[in-house]
Amino acid sequence: MTTPPTLDSTREQITALDNELLTLLAKRRNLSLDVARSKEVDIRPIRDTQREKELLARLVQKGREQGLDAHFVVSLYQGIIEDSVLNQQAYLHGRANPDTQKQQYAVAYLGAKGSYSFLAASRYCQRRQVNMLDLGCQSFDEIIQSVESGHADYGFLPIENTSSGSINEVYDVLQHTSLSIVGETTIEVGHCLLTKADAALNEIKTVYAHPQPISQCSKYLSQHPEFKLEYCASSAEAMAKVIQAADNSVAAIGSAEGGALYQLHALEKGLANQKINQSRFIVVARKAVDVPSQLPAKTTLIMATGQKPGALVEALLALRKHNLNMSKLESRPIPGTPWEEMFYLDVDANIANPMMQDALLELSRLTRFIKVLGCYPCETVKPTQLSQEQLILAPESVHVNPVPESTLAVQAQPHSRNHKSQDSQVSCQEIMIGANALVSFAYMDLSKSSDMSKAQEGAAGFEYNEFEHKIKAIKETGFQGVILGGQIKNNKLAYYSQTLRQAGLICILTLDDSADIDALTQTADLLLLSGSQMYNQSLLTKLGTLTSPVILERHPLANINDWLRAADTLLSGGNKQLILCDSGISNPAQPKRLALDLAALVEIKGRSHLPIIINPSHSVDTAMLATQAQAVKQLQGNGIVLPFKDIESLGSYHSWLHTLYS
C-alpha cells in the first residue's frame, strides 16, 4: 500500500506551482505589452473581442480536457484579459503623453495612508510602475488647490459609489476649477469593522467613520444601536483615532488593506449594504492629455440648458444625431440661481473624434453654458462573455462570428419599418398603446412588500385591504395600469387581477419563469417578459403563439440588435400584439443601478414600428424621474413605468404626471 504524501509535502508542491504560475503570468503580461507596441504602429484598437471569444472558447475546451470547469476557466481568463487591456492602455497613454512620464508622481488624495482614496491612488501608480509621493488632504477643495498650485501632479477625487451613488460635493468643486480630468480608476470597497487586535465586539461603544461608509453600511449599523457614531474627514482619520484610544471601546469603518497599515484587526467584514461595492475615482491635473485613437475614451462635460421645455432633450438628441453614447447624466443646482441646474455628462467618445467635435459645436448653440472637463482613457473593461452553447460545445462546433449589423438593418424583418412603415398599436382593455397619448403604468414589487410578510403570518385580510388601498391611490393619481413583479402565489392571481380591473386598471404580470406562463396568461391583461428571459428562445416562441399582448423587456446586457432579434422570434409566431420595454442597461460604474439608454429610444423609433415604453424606476432616483419622463415624451416614447414605493411617493408624481398629458 502506497503511503500518501504528508500535508507539508503537498503544501510545498502547491507553493512551487504558485511560484511558477506567477512567473508565467508576468511573462504573459510582458508579451501583452509587445502586442501594445504592435498596435501602436498599426493603429489598431486595444480590444479585439472577436479574438477574445475565440481564445476563451479554445481555452474552455483545453481546460475540459484537463478536468477543469468551463466557468472557472472563463472567470480566470476574464481577469487576465482585463489586466492585459488595462496595462496596454496605460502603456499607449504614456507613449502619447511623454511629458507626463516621470519616475515619481506627487498625488493629492483625501485623508491619509489607509484611506480608500490612498488605495485608489496607489493602484493607479502601481499600474504605471511609478513611485507615489503621497499628499494627504482634509477636503476636496484642498485636493484641488494642491494640484492647481503645483504642489501635486495629480489629484484623486471619488466621484461615485455603487451603494451610496454620486458624491455631490465633488461635482460642485468641478464647476469652478481649471483642472482637467485625465484619468479614472475603480476599486472594490470592502468595509470592515477595524479594531485593536485584542478587542471583542461586545466591547465596542464608539465607531468612527467617514459619512460615506456610514451611509453604505447603514443596514449593519442598524443592527447595533449601541454604537455611537462619530464622523471623520476620512477613513484614515477614523483608523488613527482607534490607534490613539486608551482602550478597546472604539472601532473604525475602513478596508482591511488600509487597516493593516495601522496594525488594526478586521473584526467584522462585509459591512456594506450591497455585496458589490465599488467606488470610481477621477484623476485631475493641470494639463489636459491626448488619448490615442486605439483606446476607449470618455469625455466629461458640464452644461446649463436654456429655460424652455425640452431643452435637455434637444441636447441629448444632438449627441444621438452624431451617434454618441452618453453613459452618465447627473444634475446639480447652480449656486445663486434658484430652480436652475447644471448637467454633468459622460460621453463615450474621444474629444478628437470629428463626431464629438461636431456635437460640441451644436451643443454650444443649444446651451447657455458648456465646458469640457476632460477627455481620458476609459478603464471600465467589460468582460468578454461566452454563450451557454459556447460553454458546452467544442470551439469547432461554435459559431462566434456575429451577424453584421448592416445585414440586420436592411432585412425586412417583422420588427422593421421595411416590413411595416406605420407605427403599430396594441389594444388592451380600453387603452391603446402606441397611439399619440402617453400611457403610464405603476410598478409594484410584491416580494418586497411588508404586507406580504404580514400575510404569511396569517393576516391575509390585512394584506388585501392594504393592496386595495394602494390600488385606489394609483388610480386617483392617473395611472392606467399596474405591473406586478416578484413571486406571486397562483391562488392570489385572481384576486389581484379582479381588484385591478374593478379599479379600471390594466393588470400586467411579470413572467420570470416559463413554468408560470399558463397561470399568468389566464389571469393577466398584459404579460411582461422579464429582461432576464429575453434570450429564452423557447419561451419567446411560446409567447408568439398566444393572442395575449406581450411586453418584451430588454436584457440589461443586450444591445439593440439582440433585443430586436428577440422581438422577431416572438412576432414570427404570429402574435402581433408586442410592446418593447427598455428598463436600462448595465452600468459598470454602478453595477446595482441600471443606466437609462435614451439614445436607444431614438434608434428604436427609427428602425421599428413597435410601440415602446420606458421604465426608469430601476435606473434613476426619484428626483430625476420628472426629467426622465419629460424626455420620454419629447422623444415620442409611448409609455412610462414609475415605481410605487409608498402612497406618499405618488404625491411627488401627481403634479408633473398630469402636466405631461396637457
Side-chain angles (χ1 to χ4, degrees):
M1 182 175 178
T2 304
T3 303
T6 64
L7 179 59
D8 288 342
S9 173
T10 302
R11 285 174 172 171
E12 288 176 1
Q13 293 181 59
I14 291 175
T15 299
L17 284 173
D18 286 340
N19 291 336
E20 290 181 32
L21 286 173
L22 290 174
T23 301
L24 291 173
L25 288 173
K27 289 181 178 179
R28 193 188 193 283
R29 174 183 275 191
N30 289 333
L31 288 173
S32 73
L33 291 180
D34 288 340
V35 172
R37 294 181 183 98
S38 174
K39 291 177 179 178
E40 181 182 15
V41 175
D42 298 342
I43 316 297
R44 284 180 292 157
I46 282 293
R47 297 201 70 177
D48 184 345
T49 54
Q50 178 64 20
R51 185 187 181 283
E52 290 175 11
K53 287 184 178 181
E54 293 170 352
L55 170 67
L56 288 179
R58 179 174 59 81
L59 290 170
V60 163
Q61 179 62 22
K62 289 292 184 181
R64 186 179 289 111
E65 294 171 0
Q66 298 290 332
L68 296 175
D69 176 73
H71 293 278
F72 167 73
V73 173
V74 170
S75 177
L76 174 65
Y77 273 88
Q78 282 175 339
I80 292 174
I81 290 171
E82 178 182 11
D83 178 76
S84 174
V85 169
L86 291 177
N87 277 288
Q88 289 184 53
Q89 288 188 190
Y91 169 80
L92 290 179
H93 190 229
R95 293 280 294 176
N97 299 274
D99 56 326
T100 67
Q101 299 306 290
K102 298 181 179 181
Q103 294 298 314
Q104 179 173 273
Y105 292 153
V107 178
Y109 57 87
L110 187 66
K113 287 186 177 180
S115 68
Y116 288 110
S117 295
F118 169 81
L119 297 178
S122 298
R123 294 175 192 178
Y124 186 85
C125 292
Q126 287 171 7
R127 186 170 297 283
R128 285 148 184 82
Q129 299 183 351
V130 297
N131 297 322
M132 185 178 81
L133 178 62
D134 54 286
L135 178 60
C137 300
Q138 295 300 311
S139 67
F140 298 135
D141 283 327
E142 187 178 341
I143 294 173
I144 294 293
Q145 292 169 8
S146 297
V147 181
E148 288 179 339
S149 65
H151 288 98
D153 298 306
Y154 296 112
F156 275 72
L157 297 166
I159 196 72
E160 59 186 340
N161 177 268
T162 55
S163 177
S164 56
S166 298
I167 301 174
N168 294 329
E169 298 93 330
V170 174
Y171 282 107
D172 291 339
V173 299
L174 289 175
Q175 286 189 29
H176 310 292
T177 181
S178 60
L179 301 179
S180 294
I181 302 176
V182 297
E184 67 172 2
T185 190
T186 301
I187 66 168
E188 293 288 337
V189 177
H191 290 312
C192 304
L193 190 69
L194 303 173
T195 65
K196 294 184 177 179
D198 56 345
L201 186 61
N202 58 9
E203 295 181 85
I204 306 303
K205 297 179 181 178
T206 303
V207 174
Y208 294 98
H210 185 271
Q212 286 290 330
I214 288 177
S215 171
Q216 295 160 20
C217 303
S218 58
K219 290 182 181 179
Y220 172 82
L221 293 173
S222 67
Q223 298 170 8
H224 294 278
E226 72 275 13
F227 290 168
K228 178 184 177 183
L229 302 179
E230 295 284 352
Y231 292 95
C232 296
S234 69
S235 298
E237 180 185 331
M239 298 175 200
K241 287 184 177 293
V242 176
I243 291 296
Q244 296 164 4
D247 54 33
N248 292 339
S249 65
V250 299
I253 296 178
S255 69
E257 186 178 353
L261 296 175
Y262 292 82
Q263 289 78 51
L264 295 179
H265 171 64
L267 185 63
E268 298 267 276
K269 296 182 179 180
L271 272 57
N273 299 339
Q274 300 178 358
K275 289 185 178 180
I276 299 178
N277 189 24
Q278 298 176 324
S279 286
R280 175 181 169 233
F281 292 78
I282 56 173
V283 188
V284 294
R286 291 183 297 281
K287 182 181 177 182
V289 293
D290 295 323
V291 182
S293 59
Q294 303 101 308
L295 273 58
K298 184 180 294 182
T299 298
T300 298
L301 55 95
I302 55 176
M303 66 183 187
T305 58
Q307 292 300 301
K308 63 176 182 178
L312 174 60
V313 175
E314 286 185 8
L316 298 182
L317 285 173
L319 296 175
R320 173 62 197 143
K321 174 183 175 182
H322 296 286
N323 199 31
L324 298 172
N325 180 57
M326 179 189 67
S327 56
K328 184 175 180 61
L329 173 65
E330 195 78 29
S331 65
R332 289 294 295 155
I334 300 176
T337 311
W339 312 115
E340 291 193 30
E341 293 182 324
M342 186 81 72
F343 294 97
Y344 292 78
L345 291 80
D346 285 344
V347 182
D348 296 334
N350 195 318
I351 196 170
N353 187 314
M355 291 185 293
M356 187 64 192
Q357 288 290 320
D358 291 342
L360 289 173
L361 181 61
E362 187 167 343
L363 286 173
S364 67
R365 295 195 296 263
L366 293 173
T367 59
R368 294 189 294 109
F369 167 81
I370 186 169
K371 175 186 177 183
V372 174
L373 295 178
C375 177
Y376 47 96
C378 176
E379 291 203 0
T380 300
V381 180
K382 187 176 180 180
T384 300
Q385 302 287 353
L386 292 182
S387 66
Q388 289 301 314
E389 180 188 28
Q390 291 170 310
L391 288 172
I392 296 172
L393 301 179
E396 59 268 17
S397 305
V398 178
H399 177 71
V400 295
N401 294 319
V403 177
E405 296 188 8
S406 57
T407 302
L408 179 68
V410 299
Q411 292 176 346
Q413 295 173 319
H415 76 267
S416 73
R417 291 195 178 275
N418 291 332
H419 180 82
K420 180 181 178 182
S421 59
Q422 294 182 336
D423 290 339
S424 291
Q425 296 181 351
V426 174
S427 175
C428 187
Q429 299 294 359
E430 297 182 2
I431 302 298
M432 188 68 70
I433 304 169
N436 292 330
L438 183 73
V439 299
S440 61
F441 300 136
Y443 177 81
M444 294 179 62
D445 188 346
L446 296 180
S447 64
K448 297 181 180 179
S449 171
S450 60
D451 308 329
M452 294 297 289
S453 61
K454 294 178 180 178
Q456 291 171 356
E457 296 172 3
F462 174 82
E463 175 199 356
Y464 292 157
N465 289 336
E466 283 296 301
F467 183 78
E468 292 169 8
H469 185 47
K470 293 176 180 178
I471 295 305
K472 181 181 178 181
I474 289 173
K475 176 63 177 179
E476 291 175 349
T477 306
F479 292 94
Q480 283 97 359
V482 176
I483 299 175
L484 298 179
Q487 295 296 320
I488 308 174
K489 294 183 178 179
N490 288 347
N491 60 356
K492 294 184 179 182
L493 289 174
Y495 163 74
Y496 289 133
S497 176
Q498 182 181 1
T499 302
L500 287 169
R501 286 169 179 161
Q502 287 177 347
L505 294 168
I506 297 173
C507 176
I508 308 169
L509 298 179
T510 304
L511 178 60
D512 285 305
D513 191 328
S514 57
D516 298 331
I517 187 171
D518 293 333
L520 297 185
T521 302
Q522 296 172 9
T523 312
D525 298 316
L526 243 172
L527 280 180
L528 187 151
L529 181 63
S530 171
S532 63
Q533 297 293 324
M534 195 201 82
Y535 289 104
N536 189 330
Q537 295 297 306
S538 61
L539 187 52
L540 289 169
T541 302
K542 174 75 172 180
L543 291 172
T545 64
L546 304 179
T547 57
S548 305
V550 176
I551 298 175
L552 175 60
E553 185 178 51
R554 179 184 183 182
H555 191 286
L557 296 176
N559 59 37
I560 292 177
N561 290 335
D562 288 344
W563 191 16
L564 292 177
R565 287 190 189 99
D568 286 337
T569 300
L570 195 151
L571 291 168
S572 297
N575 187 354
K576 306 304 180 184
Q577 301 279 63
L578 179 61
I579 304 161
L580 301 176
C581 175
D582 196 345
S583 298
I585 57 177
S586 179
N587 182 4
Q590 295 187 344
K592 289 296 183 179
R593 179 186 293 180
L594 300 179
L596 194 59
D597 189 6
L598 291 176
L601 175 56
V602 180
E603 184 168 346
I604 288 290
K605 293 293 291 185
R607 290 174 56 177
S608 174
H609 59 83
L610 298 172
I612 181 169
I613 60 177
I614 303 299
N615 179 10
S617 58
H618 305 302
S619 58
V620 296
D621 295 328
T622 303
M624 286 292 291
L625 284 175
T627 301
Q628 298 287 8
Q630 184 66 35
V632 170
K633 184 184 180 185
Q634 292 289 330
L635 296 173
Q636 299 181 337
N638 304 113
I640 188 166
V641 180
L642 298 169
F644 181 97
K645 295 182 178 178
D646 49 52
I647 291 177
E648 288 72 20
S649 68
L650 291 179
S652 63
Y653 305 148
H654 185 83
S655 59
W656 55 263
L657 184 61
H658 287 282
T659 301
L660 290 178
Y661 296 134
S662 60

